[in-house]
Amino acid sequence: MSAPTSAPDPAPRLTPRLLLRPYNFDDDNNDAAAFFALIAANRSRLRPSFPKREAAASSVEASARLLAQFRHDWRTGRLYVLGIWHHPDGRYLGDISLKPNWNAPITLEIGYYLDAEAEGQGYAREALAAAVAFGFNTLGAARLLIRCLPDNPRSSAVAEGLGFRLLPVRPRPWLQRVLSGGPNVLYYILKR
């Protein structure tokens, strides 16, 4: 199966405390400054899990280009990125993204992060629940995946709290471990 012929509705998704929506990057309503400020304030925390995003958000202008790319990705079905705002006061908290593999069975990989000050308040779990509904109900996924670094127990707890199950660790060949240099990753899955 290929990407859908029309993009899903970009209308905001509301939870009890959060507003999730695609980023704005036009002149009248631009999220680039808030996006850049959050990345800049959390750069060292985000780098291990989101190195490309952290590197791409090197300035407000670069962040605006990244948000424009997110909009293009939404329209083409390559990636669905939703910014997370605290609904009562409009504070920007982070984002959550769904990256599809359109081959059957349709699988979406979910990634999320929050500002350090927003952690530990249940926002990630609330945003993930909305993303799960979006992935299954709107995008038609058969399963959802989350990758967590082993040294990030909060992220694993969020996944497990919403029913994601840890997949068995797949041993990597010695040479691949040495060449990748990257950390081991835990994979969690949730099936429809």
Side-chain angles (χ1 to χ4, degrees):
M1 179 175 181
S2 60
T5 55
S6 63
D9 185 1
R13 284 142 181 89
L14 291 173
T15 71
R17 299 179 298 163
L18 303 175
L19 172 102
L20 286 77
R21 64 168 172 77
Y23 290 103
N24 292 315
F25 61 93
D26 56 20
D27 292 336
D28 297 331
N29 189 8
N30 194 325
D31 295 323
F35 179 85
F36 172 71
L38 188 142
I39 297 286
N42 294 273
R43 205 167 282 287
S44 63
R45 293 177 54 247
L46 298 178
R47 187 173 295 129
S49 297
F50 297 93
K52 291 180 183 175
R53 186 164 304 180
E54 181 270 330
S58 59
S59 66
V60 173
E61 295 77 20
S63 296
R65 288 190 295 275
L66 186 57
L67 300 187
Q69 180 64 49
F70 290 163
R71 179 69 54 95
H72 174 75
D73 291 343
W74 185 284
R75 286 193 304 262
T76 61
R78 182 181 169 274
L79 180 69
Y80 302 98
V81 181
L82 298 161
I84 303 168
W85 281 264
H86 188 247
H87 183 54
D89 65 16
R91 202 170 19 114
Y92 174 60
L93 302 176
D95 76 28
I96 191 161
S97 60
L98 299 94
K99 183 175 173 112
N101 175 343
W102 294 114
N103 297 321
I106 297 172
T107 303
L108 302 172
E109 184 176 327
I110 299 175
Y112 50 88
Y113 61 85
L114 294 174
D115 182 62
E117 294 180 7
E119 286 189 348
Q121 300 175 51
Y123 297 137
R125 185 177 180 143
E126 200 170 316
L128 182 57
V132 165
F134 179 59
F136 283 143
N137 302 334
T138 303
L139 299 177
R143 59 188 181 188
L144 305 172
L145 290 175
I146 295 177
R147 282 193 277 182
C148 299
L149 295 178
D151 64 351
N152 188 351
R154 281 185 163 173
S155 188
S156 294
V158 168
E160 290 171 2
L162 283 169
F164 282 78
R165 297 291 168 238
L166 182 63
L167 287 172
V169 176
R170 293 184 307 186
R172 296 187 304 172
W174 173 84
L175 185 58
Q176 185 181 11
R177 284 193 312 266
V178 170
L179 293 177
S180 74
N184 290 326
V185 176
L186 303 176
Y187 290 89
Y188 290 84
I189 190 165
L190 182 66
K191 296 181 181 179
R192 182 183 287 271

